[in-house]
Amino acid sequence: MASDKPPLRLGLIGTGFMGKTHVFGFTTAQRVFDLPFEIVLHAIADRTEALAADAARTLGFEKSSGDWRALVADPEIDLIDITAPNAFHKEMALAAIAAGKHVYCEKPLAPSAQDARTMAEAAEKAGVKTQVGFNYLCNPMLGLARELIAGGELGEIRSYRGVHAEDYMADADGPFTFRHDPAGGGALADIGSHALATAEYLLGPISAVTGECITVIGERPDGRGGRRSVEVDDIGRAFLRFASRATGCIEANWIAMGRKMQHDFEVYGSKGALVFSQERFNELHFYSAADPSGRRGFRRIEAGPDHEPYGLFCVAPGHQLGFNDLKAIEAARFLEAIAGRRPEPFGFRAGQRVQELVEAIQRSSREGVRVRVG
Amino acid sequence: MASDKPPLRLGLIGTGFMGKTHVFGFTTAQRVFDLPFEIVLHAIADRTEALAADAARTLGFEKSSGDWRALVADPEIDLIDITAPNAFHKEMALAAIAAGKHVYCEKPLAPSAQDARTMAEAAEKAGVKTQVGFNYLCNPMLGLARELIAGGELGEIRSYRGVHAEDYMADADGPFTFRHDPAGGGALADIGSHALATAEYLLGPISAVTGECITVIGERPDGRGGRRSVEVDDIGRAFLRFASRATGCIEANWIAMGRKMQHDFEVYGSKGALVFSQERFNELHFYSAADPSGRRGFRRIEAGPDHEPYGLFCVAPGHQLGFNDLKAIEAARFLEAIAGRRPEPFGFRAGQRVQELVEAIQRSSREGVRVRVG
Amino acid sequence: MASDKPPLRLGLIGTGFMGKTHVFGFTTAQRVFDLPFEIVLHAIADRTEALAADAARTLGFEKSSGDWRALVADPEIDLIDITAPNAFHKEMALAAIAAGKHVYCEKPLAPSAQDARTMAEAAEKAGVKTQVGFNYLCNPMLGLARELIAGGELGEIRSYRGVHAEDYMADADGPFTFRHDPAGGGALADIGSHALATAEYLLGPISAVTGECITVIGERPDGRGGRRSVEVDDIGRAFLRFASRATGCIEANWIAMGRKMQHDFEVYGSKGALVFSQERFNELHFYSAADPSGRRGFRRIEAGPDHEPYGLFCVAPGHQLGFNDLKAIEAARFLEAIAGRRPEPFGFRAGQRVQELVEAIQRSSREGVRVRVG
Amino acid sequence: MASDKPPLRLGLIGTGFMGKTHVFGFTTAQRVFDLPFEIVLHAIADRTEALAADAARTLGFEKSSGDWRALVADPEIDLIDITAPNAFHKEMALAAIAAGKHVYCEKPLAPSAQDARTMAEAAEKAGVKTQVGFNYLCNPMLGLARELIAGGELGEIRSYRGVHAEDYMADADGPFTFRHDPAGGGALADIGSHALATAEYLLGPISAVTGECITVIGERPDGRGGRRSVEVDDIGRAFLRFASRATGCIEANWIAMGRKMQHDFEVYGSKGALVFSQERFNELHFYSAADPSGRRGFRRIEAGPDHEPYGLFCVAPGHQLGFNDLKAIEAARFLEAIAGRRPEPFGFRAGQRVQELVEAIQRSSREGVRVRVG
């Protein structure tokens, strides 16, 4: 039974971890949501023909190419999805935009806010839709957190503590990679971007930052038997001032031994508080000062159909979504934005914004002063 | 680029919660695993043409029917997947088996162990493969638990505590449903089956049970303005004796207010222990008496690529699988069994076995004696 | 400044772990509570003069003796506190009662319910006050749990799960001790007594039990180079029926590797639930079905001044009581009972009751039938 | 039986929360530890004769006075213990030191580091021993944390996250108190001092700080019907640089709604990590990268006799110490220092040090620059 929906032909650049995750996301979104389009896995590209052909077979794409430009040039493709290394994002995205295609790009969007702005402006001028992969924000429990805050259930928000810590760079003998490149690399850019996006998602715009960026592992194997100096931060910290007058702090840390996914936050208001950990991302802990005396405490709310769009995945509460399900929500929201059903949830402007915050923190750290952000 | 894999054409009966979950499972399995087949969503059936056609469109099936027999009769279909209400399982499965099709059936397999045996024998005689939906056993952390036990890391296993508690029947004004039918209904059959399957998955065969089955909500609305008496158990408990000489207990409880997915167990051995909760099913807590003095404690192991097949879903640890991912693993394993790559993980014999345990516990409760199981 | 309170002269028998704990309890109670008496650490006895003298010096007693009968005979002593091994409890208590003294005795009170009854009757006849050491019941959070249940905040109570598991007997090479003596020994008597006392404290009288007592480590070193057969249970389990029509189960397990203090319970009612673990005994987790939709969850209530008598120990919540503080509450309550300010919280009748439950479970296990308790 | 130990006569100034806690601490220490002295509760002072006399009776002191100078002048008193409001600490301590007495003083020691230095110098010159009440550092689990770090079990320490958050000032209608006085008040001085002390206890000296101090509730009721402006911080945050080259951050927050005792830290090293929360202060979570692959995780170590001096309180693990027990350990350590058995664990120099850190953070916040500390 052929779908009566218009097709949306996908061209995916990159076949690694994130490339696969995107395919999982689109595939699941197709089944779980009533999407405006029928997604077609049209073409996939990687550095070589062989890599791309292999991925096409595994992942179910119709065509493959060793040259990403072939996808951009393919008139049948509606959406270019970029999961290649960060350094290529700008060139690929601008080419795709120039070809009139919608663009979905993994984060960090670009090595500099200036580049990100260029990309966002190009997209706006071309009238195409864009998205950056802030999957953590697609968690129904973050939606609940925002709803609790926006609805006043926490009262006036006073303070915020956020962290994104993992240990994938904890091994001092791990090699120098593109993530260590001064142009756009470092823990703050790589994962601090998530912590910053979450902070603004929940509390609104940040107005000033004071940063401290620390390089702990000063050199790493260069892959050619030598050592290469590392200048990017392993740990980035910032004090945050929000336009709302709330204040807070965040930490990005990619050498936090033992941590696999500590994307956590705590929000304190005049009437309540929230505590969240991505390590158990199907839960949100909510304290309400309105509970009766002697009965107050952080309550562990488990994700369920009350927290949309959980119910589309499972009608029963407590069954839990997985990481790839968050990617499916992300993909679905982008398609809805492409169809004009909703605004872009995290367009290139959002990627630009986060990069501006990252750079403000880096500058604050370098110059030893507080930096205002627009 | 067409797949070079042989197609496996699916005929799905049932379009509700579990029907959707199965489609999600197959769809995800197709992308995540290197399956032996190309899954084709061939046909779907429900009680009416309209329901089926609607589901076909939403879920992406090629054909639909208001009569499940049409699927059984369809020579193109390789696999019949039954997610209809329990009372139909036997008739549907036997018809599918008679038509030479592999059969995947949600649990409980049949209202009686005798029926389940009939179904298993028919399948064996026909040479088709079967599977019952014990998705909790597909969790990589349960695989890790079994590996720790089998590898002797806990020493000799001495005791077991299991529970499966939810609250979906906690409301005394909830209506009488097929799950309250004395033929196969009750908490023990509905979810105690999971607790029993997990117990045997980890510790091997149970040899004797002592049961206590309790009806708490003695009558429920009959949907026609009256009340209908309920005879099945709301809570089923059992002492277990294992062939290994370990002992334990389990509880099934579908009126456990506040519990959404308490499928939990604790295993105690002479050298270590395990604690698990389905409420946080991407974690396993492991105590090793071999740890140094003053440094011992339950360690919270987070699921990651070390725990197969997690790595196929995500290369990074701590990102977490969701409920639908467990369904994908379940689907993949069945397809591998159909291809002869591995034995059936939970064939109809497994469904029969669990039903035998359920009935032994029910009999023990009725007769007030310990009951041996073969 | 001399106290204007009447003195209460203590005679303590036993100088081990529990003897010290009692002294800590009385000493702290003296400072924390406005007790009706000035406690005087008058005399202490142990098996030898030397042991007793040493303990007197360390613990601050005025006198010491190698013969417990000297304490019973001492007309100045008001209260005999028995922390000697279980086998001596009866003889000591009866002698103390005969001498007109109040008696505080560690649990288990006596090796048999019959003995316990004899002791309770003697005390009642003599008009002295008695207490058995059920310290876990002195936790303010258990008081809160009882208040929530009694006040109807959980609705009709439907089910109960209790456990008391530790690992102090997990080592199969640990020697045979008085706790392995068939007269009164075993996990069920030793720690299952706590689980049973808590169950009745919260849900009221148990009316019937079905038991299963398991010996896992069948022989132990006898301390003289040989092995001695063990007949008592390492694990005791019971299904419970309460007079209220609630049902439940408990487990006592002293070979639960890794567990140090798993005195836990879960209570499920028609409107809410409670979850408690002695491992974190300053918390009680409370689920209320009355919370708004999408906001429900188990809330972690931390002990504070709202939960009396916490406030006497500390005016600020969240600071936490320790095990010895529970002992102080226990001691204070006994002194208040002696002064006639309140009924005995856990008199010898309570000790008798628990022993009756233990014996009913043991008999049920032996005979394979459900046993009613009065 | 009279003690053969020399008496140590205590003069306590202050009868409130902390005064009582000190008495509990000394009383418990006397029973639990083999102290070098027999503690005598000699005299207690408060603002009025009546208050003091009442406290003497309740707490068991021999004498009382409405004038703290009477205690300082009393030649029998060996140790002056100051739990009066912060503003009096300096005058009282200097007088006591001048009278040749040892001094125990609650924190914060003085409103300024300069005052604290004066006090410390006076004590050193007079040859008396001093102590400031850093009770959290007396927790056996903090001892374990320090041992794990010092022993290299975490490898090179790379980063630290600390917080001390409570909600006792969260109510904007709570009155202006001495804690809001610009001379020594604010969250950073009041509880941030704990966070700073813990950070240096574990990682050694801090060498530089960058601070941010935030006033959230800008005015409070003045107790006379009006409002009074508040200038001290409700939230104080700091980036920390340690002499060891590790870096970190801390937050002090006394308006963190829902938090009662969030004195938490996380330590990340090259080989492992620690996570601790005072909310569950009998546990330490330890991750060791040396655990086998697939078996790694944060292990929850429960306090027990392996972690001295826990074993003096209880011979069995998992029974848990309470807040007052930490005070007893603190008292015992001071008496041991007085007897010359060990160095002063937290003498006035430690109080001065913490105040220097507080002031450096405040200055950094005011001036917007990083501040080095000696």
Side-chain angles (χ1 to χ4, degrees), chain B residues 6-22:
Chain B
L8 186 128
R9 291 192 183 78
L10 183 70
L12 175 67
I13 308 175
T15 67
F17 170 25
M18 269 300 142
K20 270 181 206 145
T21 301
H22 279 227

Side-chain angles (χ1 to χ4, degrees), chain A residues 8-213:
Chain A
L8 186 127
R9 290 191 185 78
L10 182 69
L12 176 66
I13 307 175
T15 65
F17 170 25
M18 270 298 141
K20 271 182 204 146
T21 300
H22 278 228
V23 174
F24 298 166
F26 277 112
T27 306
T28 299
Q30 177 96 307
R31 298 297 172 227
V32 171
F33 290 85
D34 182 16
L35 295 178
F37 302 104
E38 176 74 18
I39 300 163
V40 179
L41 299 182
H42 186 76
I44 187 165
D46 209 324
R47 281 171 297 118
T48 69
E49 295 276 356
L51 270 175
D54 192 51
R57 199 167 39 247
T58 310
L59 295 171
F61 280 80
E62 296 171 6
K63 304 200 295 185
S64 64
S65 173
D67 179 4
W68 63 267
R69 293 174 194 279
L71 272 59
V72 169
D74 185 338
E76 291 199 285
I77 289 179
D78 303 296
L79 166 58
I80 291 287
D81 184 359
I82 304 170
T83 67
N86 305 350
F88 298 99
H89 289 181
K90 184 182 175 189
E91 183 183 9
M92 290 170 174
L94 289 177
I97 290 166
K101 300 183 190 310
H102 305 296
V103 186
Y104 185 5
C105 184
E106 257 314 305
K107 44 130 306 260
L109 178 58
S112 75
Q114 179 51 50
D115 282 352
R117 184 177 301 111
T118 302
M119 293 158 77
E121 285 169 356
E124 285 166 9
K125 202 165 159 195
V128 301
K129 304 287 180 169
T130 56
Q131 175 150 303
V132 183
F134 287 114
N135 52 292
Y136 301 113
L137 304 183
C138 296
N139 182 349
M141 300 321 270
L142 261 81
L144 174 61
R146 185 145 88 158
E147 179 187 323
L148 285 161
I149 291 169
E153 296 184 60
L154 303 192
E156 176 199 42
I157 302 304
R158 292 164 166 181
S159 71
Y160 185 83
R161 233 180 282 146
V163 64
H164 192 123
E166 305 192 27
D167 67 0
Y168 58 101
M169 294 293 181
D171 181 359
D173 293 327
F176 191 100
T177 72
F178 75 87
R179 294 178 201 277
H180 300 100
D181 191 316
L188 190 67
D190 206 40
I191 53 178
S193 49
H194 287 304
L196 290 162
T198 297
E200 289 205 324
Y201 178 78
L202 295 172
L203 268 67
I206 291 165
S207 57
V209 299
T210 305
E212 176 150 277
C213 296

Side-chain angles (χ1 to χ4, degrees), chain D residues 184-307:
Chain D
L188 190 68
D190 206 40
I191 53 178
S193 50
H194 286 303
L196 291 162
T198 297
E200 288 205 324
Y201 178 77
L202 294 172
L203 268 66
I206 290 164
S207 57
V209 298
T210 304
E212 176 149 277
C213 296
I214 308 287
T215 306
V216 175
I217 301 172
E219 51 176 40
R220 289 181 174 274
D222 66 1
R224 289 163 305 193
R227 309 283 293 177
R228 183 163 168 191
S229 171
V230 176
E231 288 162 38
V232 301
D233 59 295
D234 292 308
I235 306 171
R237 301 185 183 94
F239 303 140
L240 308 178
R241 301 201 168 197
F242 295 88
S244 69
R245 297 193 52 246
T247 65
C249 61
I250 59 113
E251 176 182 319
N253 189 331
W254 65 15
I255 56 166
M257 184 61 76
R259 291 297 186 185
K260 309 308 171 188
M261 187 39 71
Q262 191 187 25
H263 178 83
D264 297 359
F265 64 79
E266 305 189 14
V267 182
Y268 296 97
S270 58
K271 296 182 183 170
L274 297 176
V275 172
F276 172 83
S277 175
Q278 185 74 17
E279 293 183 351
R280 290 165 170 173
F281 73 73
N282 285 277
E283 302 175 6
L284 181 68
H285 297 254
F286 168 43
Y287 181 94
S288 173
D291 283 343
S293 172
R295 309 283 184 271
R296 290 184 202 119
F298 279 89
R299 72 179 76 151
R300 183 167 72 92
I301 303 173
E302 295 179 89
D306 288 325
H307 314 112

